[in-house]
Amino acid sequence: MTSKIKPSKGAPYARIMGVGGYRPTRVVPNEEILKHIDSSDEWIRSRSGIATRHWAGPDESVATMAVEASGKAIADAGIAPEQIGAVVVSTVSHFKQTPAIATEIAHLVGAGKPAAFDISAGCAGFGYGLTLAKGMVVEGSAEYVLVIGVERLSDLTDLEDRATAFLFGDGAGAVIVGPAKEPAIGPTVWGSEGDKSETIKQTLSWDVYRTTPKPGGDGPEERPTPEAIRYPAITQEGQAVFRWAVFEMAKVAQQALDAAGVSPDDLDVFIPHQANMRIIDSMVKTLKLPESVTVARDVETTGNTSAASIPLAMERLLATGQAKSGDTALVIGFGAGLVYAATVVTLP
């Protein structure tokens, strides 16, 4: 039977056209974290490589940070906001279940009436959003797509948790994905391992703050008041996550290189999720990357910003001249779920 549906008419390929980042003005050194946990600056640096992180102030919301980063990405891409056909926001720290923060951001950047939605893929969220954007551009449903990774993880940090109190930072990174005449975003290798979902998680679900009826329907049962419940935070099984990231994610990174037809010797830049310096260094060693490859180590001064970490690191490398337009970069994100996404891109 002959289909009556017309074929889609998009661009032959897609590319990252511009990038922007925003880091909150408040810089938090390890010394401030040590007021709450029994540890040392030396221990934090040796375990994570983190010296400082940025935490958002009252006026630096998920939306405002995302808008700042997006404005820079739009300007860098050289397009008008009205040309944006879709806005994809990856975040786990926008606390309203609905509406999606993407719709507010789309309005604030002046994008008109684009498709707009949020995704929750943790630290792999930028890779997921980038893959969706590439599909939209090639399929033809949007000519330009704004992809944002934004987090206020300070809102989900337990300052008394010695294993995680020093890890997380806030910030936003954004890119514009648009049409290209040659391949500039490679095939994505992505997936999940749900049997390990308990290794990184939120300590409590939001429904602990509700009162529930008694089984007999004769009034609410006794339940601790919200004030008596420790606020939900992100927790993780550090050693299990470290082993998974070091051993399994290097395999995924290699698969992304193979899928793109790129060897380690062809790479100019490596931008892994900025989770932990030891993980980054181990992946570099396992992948046998040449010394000529520039490696993003933004985690030292930015901390782990989850979905924002890759675009923030990309923006910094380009802004400081450590990477240049046209460089070939391997990017890989991995985290809660456990989920992951890796691809090879040409830098804007």
Side-chain angles (χ1 to χ4, degrees):
M1 185 174 116
T2 303
S3 173
K4 298 178 181 178
I5 300 173
K6 290 183 180 180
S8 58
K9 293 182 179 180
Y13 305 104
R15 66 186 177 107
I16 300 175
M17 300 178 60
V19 60
Y22 179 82
R23 293 171 176 81
T25 55
R26 181 186 174 196
V27 177
V28 180
N30 288 339
E31 286 73 18
E32 186 167 338
I33 304 296
L34 294 173
K35 296 176 182 178
H36 306 280
I37 58 173
D38 181 16
S39 187
S40 69
D41 177 66
E42 181 183 3
W43 186 89
I44 293 174
R45 289 173 186 257
S46 66
R47 299 287 291 183
S48 68
I50 298 172
T52 61
R53 72 285 293 146
H54 294 254
W55 282 357
D59 297 329
E60 294 170 311
S61 66
V62 167
T64 58
M65 291 191 294
V67 168
E68 289 288 337
S70 298
K72 295 175 183 177
I74 294 167
D76 193 40
I79 67 168
E82 309 86 63
Q83 293 177 272
I84 296 171
V87 177
V88 182
V89 177
S90 179
T91 184
V92 298
S93 48
H94 171 53
F95 288 166
K96 288 184 179 179
Q97 193 72 36
T98 191
I101 194 65
T103 57
E104 180 181 342
I105 293 167
H107 170 68
L108 291 173
V109 301
K113 298 180 180 180
F117 57 95
D118 298 350
I119 59 174
S120 177
C123 304
F126 176 74
Y128 275 53
L130 186 64
T131 303
L132 294 172
K134 173 188 173 183
M136 290 182 224
V137 171
V138 173
E139 187 269 341
S141 60
E143 185 176 12
Y144 300 102
V145 182
L146 172 60
V147 180
I148 304 164
V150 56
E151 302 290 6
R152 263 187 62 127
L153 294 181
S154 57
D155 291 335
L156 290 169
T157 298
D158 182 351
L159 290 177
E160 297 178 7
D161 181 355
R162 188 173 183 270
T164 62
F166 57 89
L167 289 176
F168 302 120
D170 303 336
V175 299
I176 294 291
V177 177
K181 295 181 180 179
E182 59 183 15
I185 301 175
T188 300
V189 176
W190 57 356
S192 65
E193 298 185 31
D195 60 317
K196 300 179 181 67
S197 62
E198 291 294 300
T199 56
I200 306 175
K201 64 180 181 179
Q202 184 172 305
T203 52
L204 297 169
S205 63
W206 300 115
D207 61 4
V208 299
Y209 290 88
R210 297 179 62 185
T211 56
T212 54
K214 287 182 178 179
D218 52 352
E221 65 182 19
E222 289 297 321
R223 173 176 286 219
T225 62
E227 292 78 11
I229 301 172
R230 194 173 181 84
Y231 197 75
I234 298 173
T235 186
Q236 68 177 27
E237 298 174 16
Q239 286 301 314
V241 172
F242 181 86
R243 288 192 298 270
W244 175 77
V246 167
F247 296 110
E248 298 302 321
M249 291 305 97
K251 298 176 186 177
V252 171
Q254 184 61 57
Q255 290 170 13
L257 288 173
D258 294 341
V262 173
S263 74
D265 291 336
D266 296 324
L267 280 181
D268 300 303
V269 183
F270 179 41
I271 311 177
H273 165 48
Q274 302 295 292
N276 180 302
M277 195 76 78
R278 291 165 62 212
I279 292 174
I280 294 170
D281 291 340
S282 295
M283 292 181 72
V284 168
K285 183 177 180 180
T286 302
L287 289 167
K288 299 180 180 178
L289 297 183
E291 291 186 6
S292 60
V293 174
T294 297
V295 179
R297 291 188 169 89
D298 192 43
V299 66
E300 180 180 4
T301 56
T302 304
N304 180 344
T305 55
S306 188
S309 78
I310 290 175
L312 276 174
M314 182 185 296
E315 184 266 347
R316 175 160 281 174
L317 289 177
L318 290 165
T320 58
Q322 297 176 73
K324 63 183 185 299
S325 175
D327 278 353
T328 300
L330 169 63
V331 299
I332 178 169
F334 45 86
L338 293 170
V339 295
Y340 53 88
T343 188
V344 177
V345 304
T346 301
L347 295 183

PDB file of all heavy atoms in Angstrom, residues 18-23 63-75 109 146-150 171-175 311-312 315:
ATOM      1  N   GLY A  18      26.294  27.646  18.104  1.00  0.00           N
ATOM      2  CA  GLY A  18      26.710  28.618  19.109  1.00  0.00           C
ATOM      3  C   GLY A  18      26.560  28.025  20.493  1.00  0.00           C
ATOM      4  O   GLY A  18      25.757  27.114  20.708  1.00  0.00           O
ATOM      5  N   VAL A  19      27.324  28.547  21.438  1.00  0.00           N
ATOM      6  CA  VAL A  19      27.296  28.046  22.807  1.00  0.00           C
ATOM      7  C   VAL A  19      27.360  29.212  23.779  1.00  0.00           C
ATOM      8  O   VAL A  19      27.969  30.249  23.489  1.00  0.00           O
ATOM      9  CB  VAL A  19      28.458  27.051  23.056  1.00  0.00           C
ATOM     10  CG1 VAL A  19      29.808  27.728  22.837  1.00  0.00           C
ATOM     11  CG2 VAL A  19      28.392  26.424  24.446  1.00  0.00           C
ATOM     12  N   GLY A  20      26.700  29.060  24.926  1.00  0.00           N
ATOM     13  CA  GLY A  20      26.727  30.091  25.959  1.00  0.00           C
ATOM     14  C   GLY A  20      26.665  29.460  27.331  1.00  0.00           C
ATOM     15  O   GLY A  20      26.148  28.349  27.492  1.00  0.00           O
ATOM     16  N   GLY A  21      27.202  30.151  28.318  1.00  0.00           N
ATOM     17  CA  GLY A  21      27.181  29.627  29.678  1.00  0.00           C
ATOM     18  C   GLY A  21      26.912  30.708  30.697  1.00  0.00           C
ATOM     19  O   GLY A  21      27.111  31.903  30.436  1.00  0.00           O
ATOM     20  N   TYR A  22      26.440  30.281  31.862  1.00  0.00           N
ATOM     21  CA  TYR A  22      26.231  31.214  32.976  1.00  0.00           C
ATOM     22  C   TYR A  22      26.587  30.510  34.277  1.00  0.00           C
ATOM     23  O   TYR A  22      26.079  29.416  34.565  1.00  0.00           O
ATOM     24  CB  TYR A  22      24.785  31.708  33.050  1.00  0.00           C
ATOM     25  CG  TYR A  22      24.562  32.644  34.219  1.00  0.00           C
ATOM     26  CD1 TYR A  22      24.907  33.992  34.129  1.00  0.00           C
ATOM     27  CD2 TYR A  22      24.053  32.175  35.427  1.00  0.00           C
ATOM     28  CE1 TYR A  22      24.745  34.855  35.202  1.00  0.00           C
ATOM     29  CE2 TYR A  22      23.883  33.034  36.512  1.00  0.00           C
ATOM     30  CZ  TYR A  22      24.227  34.368  36.399  1.00  0.00           C
ATOM     31  OH  TYR A  22      24.084  35.216  37.471  1.00  0.00           O
ATOM     32  N   ARG A  23      27.467  31.144  35.049  1.00  0.00           N
ATOM     33  CA  ARG A  23      27.826  30.665  36.378  1.00  0.00           C
ATOM     34  C   ARG A  23      27.389  31.703  37.393  1.00  0.00           C
ATOM     35  O   ARG A  23      27.672  32.895  37.212  1.00  0.00           O
ATOM     36  CB  ARG A  23      29.332  30.415  36.476  1.00  0.00           C
ATOM     37  CG  ARG A  23      29.825  29.259  35.615  1.00  0.00           C
ATOM     38  CD  ARG A  23      31.359  29.204  35.586  1.00  0.00           C
ATOM     39  NE  ARG A  23      31.828  28.050  34.832  1.00  0.00           N
ATOM     40  CZ  ARG A  23      31.922  27.987  33.506  1.00  0.00           C
ATOM     41  NH1 ARG A  23      31.565  29.046  32.781  1.00  0.00           N
ATOM     42  NH2 ARG A  23      32.357  26.904  32.906  1.00  0.00           N
ATOM     43  N   ALA A  63      15.302  29.480  35.691  1.00  0.00           N
ATOM     44  CA  ALA A  63      14.904  30.221  34.489  1.00  0.00           C
ATOM     45  C   ALA A  63      15.868  31.349  34.162  1.00  0.00           C
ATOM     46  O   ALA A  63      16.295  31.496  33.010  1.00  0.00           O
ATOM     47  CB  ALA A  63      13.491  30.769  34.658  1.00  0.00           C
ATOM     48  N   THR A  64      16.233  32.153  35.159  1.00  0.00           N
ATOM     49  CA  THR A  64      17.095  33.308  34.867  1.00  0.00           C
ATOM     50  C   THR A  64      18.486  32.865  34.420  1.00  0.00           C
ATOM     51  O   THR A  64      19.075  33.468  33.516  1.00  0.00           O
ATOM     52  CB  THR A  64      17.210  34.242  36.078  1.00  0.00           C
ATOM     53  OG1 THR A  64      17.728  33.508  37.209  1.00  0.00           O
ATOM     54  CG2 THR A  64      15.851  34.822  36.453  1.00  0.00           C
ATOM     55  N   MET A  65      19.027  31.817  35.039  1.00  0.00           N
ATOM     56  CA  MET A  65      20.335  31.318  34.608  1.00  0.00           C
ATOM     57  C   MET A  65      20.267  30.783  33.182  1.00  0.00           C
ATOM     58  O   MET A  65      21.170  31.016  32.370  1.00  0.00           O
ATOM     59  CB  MET A  65      20.827  30.233  35.570  1.00  0.00           C
ATOM     60  CG  MET A  65      21.202  30.747  36.941  1.00  0.00           C
ATOM     61  SD  MET A  65      22.083  29.510  37.955  1.00  0.00           S
ATOM     62  CE  MET A  65      20.807  28.266  38.188  1.00  0.00           C
ATOM     63  N   ALA A  66      19.200  30.056  32.879  1.00  0.00           N
ATOM     64  CA  ALA A  66      19.035  29.496  31.539  1.00  0.00           C
ATOM     65  C   ALA A  66      18.902  30.592  30.489  1.00  0.00           C
ATOM     66  O   ALA A  66      19.445  30.489  29.382  1.00  0.00           O
ATOM     67  CB  ALA A  66      17.817  28.581  31.503  1.00  0.00           C
ATOM     68  N   VAL A  67      18.189  31.655  30.818  1.00  0.00           N
ATOM     69  CA  VAL A  67      18.001  32.767  29.878  1.00  0.00           C
ATOM     70  C   VAL A  67      19.336  33.461  29.595  1.00  0.00           C
ATOM     71  O   VAL A  67      19.646  33.812  28.449  1.00  0.00           O
ATOM     72  CB  VAL A  67      16.967  33.770  30.420  1.00  0.00           C
ATOM     73  CG1 VAL A  67      16.973  35.056  29.603  1.00  0.00           C
ATOM     74  CG2 VAL A  67      15.575  33.141  30.405  1.00  0.00           C
ATOM     75  N   GLU A  68      20.154  33.640  30.640  1.00  0.00           N
ATOM     76  CA  GLU A  68      21.466  34.260  30.450  1.00  0.00           C
ATOM     77  C   GLU A  68      22.335  33.422  29.512  1.00  0.00           C
ATOM     78  O   GLU A  68      22.964  33.955  28.584  1.00  0.00           O
ATOM     79  CB  GLU A  68      22.164  34.437  31.805  1.00  0.00           C
ATOM     80  CG  GLU A  68      21.560  35.503  32.694  1.00  0.00           C
ATOM     81  CD  GLU A  68      21.849  36.901  32.191  1.00  0.00           C
ATOM     82  OE1 GLU A  68      22.830  37.092  31.446  1.00  0.00           O
ATOM     83  OE2 GLU A  68      21.071  37.817  32.530  1.00  0.00           O
ATOM     84  N   ALA A  69      22.387  32.126  29.751  1.00  0.00           N
ATOM     85  CA  ALA A  69      23.195  31.245  28.904  1.00  0.00           C
ATOM     86  C   ALA A  69      22.641  31.197  27.487  1.00  0.00           C
ATOM     87  O   ALA A  69      23.393  31.202  26.506  1.00  0.00           O
ATOM     88  CB  ALA A  69      23.241  29.842  29.509  1.00  0.00           C
ATOM     89  N   SER A  70      21.322  31.176  27.363  1.00  0.00           N
ATOM     90  CA  SER A  70      20.682  31.090  26.052  1.00  0.00           C
ATOM     91  C   SER A  70      20.941  32.329  25.215  1.00  0.00           C
ATOM     92  O   SER A  70      21.184  32.242  24.002  1.00  0.00           O
ATOM     93  CB  SER A  70      19.174  30.884  26.216  1.00  0.00           C
ATOM     94  OG  SER A  70      18.902  29.676  26.888  1.00  0.00           O
ATOM     95  N   GLY A  71      20.886  33.502  25.857  1.00  0.00           N
ATOM     96  CA  GLY A  71      21.145  34.731  25.130  1.00  0.00           C
ATOM     97  C   GLY A  71      22.535  34.743  24.508  1.00  0.00           C
ATOM     98  O   GLY A  71      22.724  35.174  23.367  1.00  0.00           O
ATOM     99  N   LYS A  72      23.504  34.224  25.251  1.00  0.00           N
ATOM    100  CA  LYS A  72      24.878  34.151  24.726  1.00  0.00           C
ATOM    101  C   LYS A  72      24.966  33.153  23.572  1.00  0.00           C
ATOM    102  O   LYS A  72      25.657  33.399  22.575  1.00  0.00           O
ATOM    103  CB  LYS A  72      25.832  33.752  25.846  1.00  0.00           C
ATOM    104  CG  LYS A  72      25.941  34.776  26.962  1.00  0.00           C
ATOM    105  CD  LYS A  72      26.811  34.264  28.103  1.00  0.00           C
ATOM    106  CE  LYS A  72      26.867  35.257  29.247  1.00  0.00           C
ATOM    107  NZ  LYS A  72      27.658  34.743  30.400  1.00  0.00           N
ATOM    108  N   ALA A  73      24.275  32.015  23.696  1.00  0.00           N
ATOM    109  CA  ALA A  73      24.311  31.004  22.636  1.00  0.00           C
ATOM    110  C   ALA A  73      23.653  31.519  21.360  1.00  0.00           C
ATOM    111  O   ALA A  73      24.144  31.279  20.249  1.00  0.00           O
ATOM    112  CB  ALA A  73      23.617  29.728  23.111  1.00  0.00           C
ATOM    113  N   ILE A  74      22.542  32.228  21.509  1.00  0.00           N
ATOM    114  CA  ILE A  74      21.832  32.787  20.352  1.00  0.00           C
ATOM    115  C   ILE A  74      22.711  33.801  19.638  1.00  0.00           C
ATOM    116  O   ILE A  74      22.828  33.808  18.406  1.00  0.00           O
ATOM    117  CB  ILE A  74      20.498  33.417  20.798  1.00  0.00           C
ATOM    118  CG1 ILE A  74      19.543  32.334  21.310  1.00  0.00           C
ATOM    119  CG2 ILE A  74      19.853  34.196  19.658  1.00  0.00           C
ATOM    120  CD1 ILE A  74      18.333  32.871  22.055  1.00  0.00           C
ATOM    121  N   ALA A  75      23.359  34.678  20.421  1.00  0.00           N
ATOM    122  CA  ALA A  75      24.253  35.680  19.831  1.00  0.00           C
ATOM    123  C   ALA A  75      25.444  35.011  19.153  1.00  0.00           C
ATOM    124  O   ALA A  75      25.864  35.422  18.061  1.00  0.00           O
ATOM    125  CB  ALA A  75      24.728  36.650  20.912  1.00  0.00           C
ATOM    126  N   VAL A 109      13.339  34.491  26.228  1.00  0.00           N
ATOM    127  CA  VAL A 109      14.398  34.745  25.241  1.00  0.00           C
ATOM    128  C   VAL A 109      13.835  35.331  23.952  1.00  0.00           C
ATOM    129  O   VAL A 109      14.581  35.667  23.039  1.00  0.00           O
ATOM    130  CB  VAL A 109      15.223  33.474  24.921  1.00  0.00           C
ATOM    131  CG1 VAL A 109      15.875  32.926  26.177  1.00  0.00           C
ATOM    132  CG2 VAL A 109      14.387  32.421  24.218  1.00  0.00           C
ATOM    133  N   LEU A 146      17.116  25.338  20.471  1.00  0.00           N
ATOM    134  CA  LEU A 146      17.857  25.774  21.647  1.00  0.00           C
ATOM    135  C   LEU A 146      17.870  24.632  22.660  1.00  0.00           C
ATOM    136  O   LEU A 146      16.814  24.190  23.114  1.00  0.00           O
ATOM    137  CB  LEU A 146      17.191  27.019  22.243  1.00  0.00           C
ATOM    138  CG  LEU A 146      17.709  27.529  23.599  1.00  0.00           C
ATOM    139  CD1 LEU A 146      19.180  27.903  23.527  1.00  0.00           C
ATOM    140  CD2 LEU A 146      16.865  28.722  24.068  1.00  0.00           C
ATOM    141  N   VAL A 147      19.065  24.140  22.980  1.00  0.00           N
ATOM    142  CA  VAL A 147      19.229  23.058  23.954  1.00  0.00           C
ATOM    143  C   VAL A 147      19.918  23.613  25.190  1.00  0.00           C
ATOM    144  O   VAL A 147      20.989  24.218  25.092  1.00  0.00           O
ATOM    145  CB  VAL A 147      20.065  21.897  23.377  1.00  0.00           C
ATOM    146  CG1 VAL A 147      20.220  20.781  24.409  1.00  0.00           C
ATOM    147  CG2 VAL A 147      19.436  21.363  22.105  1.00  0.00           C
ATOM    148  N   ILE A 148      19.301  23.410  26.346  1.00  0.00           N
ATOM    149  CA  ILE A 148      19.799  23.988  27.600  1.00  0.00           C
ATOM    150  C   ILE A 148      19.977  22.898  28.649  1.00  0.00           C
ATOM    151  O   ILE A 148      19.110  22.038  28.823  1.00  0.00           O
ATOM    152  CB  ILE A 148      18.805  25.034  28.156  1.00  0.00           C
ATOM    153  CG1 ILE A 148      18.528  26.125  27.122  1.00  0.00           C
ATOM    154  CG2 ILE A 148      19.323  25.643  29.459  1.00  0.00           C
ATOM    155  CD1 ILE A 148      17.297  26.957  27.444  1.00  0.00           C
ATOM    156  N   GLY A 149      21.107  22.945  29.347  1.00  0.00           N
ATOM    157  CA  GLY A 149      21.292  22.170  30.569  1.00  0.00           C
ATOM    158  C   GLY A 149      21.415  23.161  31.708  1.00  0.00           C
ATOM    159  O   GLY A 149      22.272  24.052  31.670  1.00  0.00           O
ATOM    160  N   VAL A 150      20.562  23.057  32.706  1.00  0.00           N
ATOM    161  CA  VAL A 150      20.564  24.057  33.787  1.00  0.00           C
ATOM    162  C   VAL A 150      20.243  23.372  35.113  1.00  0.00           C
ATOM    163  O   VAL A 150      19.349  22.523  35.190  1.00  0.00           O
ATOM    164  CB  VAL A 150      19.563  25.197  33.506  1.00  0.00           C
ATOM    165  CG1 VAL A 150      18.152  24.680  33.274  1.00  0.00           C
ATOM    166  CG2 VAL A 150      19.586  26.243  34.626  1.00  0.00           C
ATOM    167  N   GLY A 171      24.484  26.297  37.711  1.00  0.00           N
ATOM    168  CA  GLY A 171      24.849  26.986  36.480  1.00  0.00           C
ATOM    169  C   GLY A 171      23.999  26.544  35.315  1.00  0.00           C
ATOM    170  O   GLY A 171      23.137  25.658  35.438  1.00  0.00           O
ATOM    171  N   ALA A 172      24.235  27.168  34.169  1.00  0.00           N
ATOM    172  CA  ALA A 172      23.479  26.854  32.959  1.00  0.00           C
ATOM    173  C   ALA A 172      24.395  26.912  31.752  1.00  0.00           C
ATOM    174  O   ALA A 172      25.266  27.778  31.655  1.00  0.00           O
ATOM    175  CB  ALA A 172      22.319  27.836  32.773  1.00  0.00           C
ATOM    176  N   GLY A 173      24.197  25.977  30.840  1.00  0.00           N
ATOM    177  CA  GLY A 173      24.896  25.978  29.563  1.00  0.00           C
ATOM    178  C   GLY A 173      23.888  25.769  28.453  1.00  0.00           C
ATOM    179  O   GLY A 173      22.895  25.049  28.634  1.00  0.00           O
ATOM    180  N   ALA A 174      24.094  26.407  27.315  1.00  0.00           N
ATOM    181  CA  ALA A 174      23.127  26.315  26.220  1.00  0.00           C
ATOM    182  C   ALA A 174      23.846  26.274  24.878  1.00  0.00           C
ATOM    183  O   ALA A 174      24.941  26.829  24.725  1.00  0.00           O
ATOM    184  CB  ALA A 174      22.173  27.509  26.261  1.00  0.00           C
ATOM    185  N   VAL A 175      23.221  25.616  23.922  1.00  0.00           N
ATOM    186  CA  VAL A 175      23.726  25.611  22.546  1.00  0.00           C
ATOM    187  C   VAL A 175      22.562  25.806  21.584  1.00  0.00           C
ATOM    188  O   VAL A 175      21.409  25.500  21.910  1.00  0.00           O
ATOM    189  CB  VAL A 175      24.468  24.297  22.179  1.00  0.00           C
ATOM    190  CG1 VAL A 175      25.683  24.073  23.072  1.00  0.00           C
ATOM    191  CG2 VAL A 175      23.531  23.100  22.223  1.00  0.00           C
ATOM    192  N   PRO A 311      27.949  21.618  28.399  1.00  0.00           N
ATOM    193  CA  PRO A 311      27.960  22.897  27.677  1.00  0.00           C
ATOM    194  C   PRO A 311      28.756  23.985  28.400  1.00  0.00           C
ATOM    195  O   PRO A 311      29.384  24.830  27.753  1.00  0.00           O
ATOM    196  CB  PRO A 311      26.479  23.262  27.545  1.00  0.00           C
ATOM    197  CG  PRO A 311      25.782  22.475  28.608  1.00  0.00           C
ATOM    198  CD  PRO A 311      26.565  21.210  28.742  1.00  0.00           C
ATOM    199  N   LEU A 312      28.760  23.972  29.741  1.00  0.00           N
ATOM    200  CA  LEU A 312      29.578  24.939  30.475  1.00  0.00           C
ATOM    201  C   LEU A 312      31.063  24.712  30.203  1.00  0.00           C
ATOM    202  O   LEU A 312      31.827  25.658  29.986  1.00  0.00           O
ATOM    203  CB  LEU A 312      29.305  24.839  31.976  1.00  0.00           C
ATOM    204  CG  LEU A 312      28.114  25.614  32.521  1.00  0.00           C
ATOM    205  CD1 LEU A 312      27.889  25.289  33.989  1.00  0.00           C
ATOM    206  CD2 LEU A 312      28.307  27.120  32.344  1.00  0.00           C
ATOM    207  N   GLU A 315      31.855  25.802  26.619  1.00  0.00           N
ATOM    208  CA  GLU A 315      31.910  27.263  26.504  1.00  0.00           C
ATOM    209  C   GLU A 315      33.228  27.800  27.058  1.00  0.00           C
ATOM    210  O   GLU A 315      33.857  28.684  26.467  1.00  0.00           O
ATOM    211  CB  GLU A 315      30.717  27.877  27.246  1.00  0.00           C
ATOM    212  CG  GLU A 315      30.595  29.380  27.133  1.00  0.00           C
ATOM    213  CD  GLU A 315      31.252  30.128  28.275  1.00  0.00           C
ATOM    214  OE1 GLU A 315      31.603  29.483  29.298  1.00  0.00           O
ATOM    215  OE2 GLU A 315      31.439  31.348  28.141  1.00  0.00           O
TER     216      GLU A 315
END
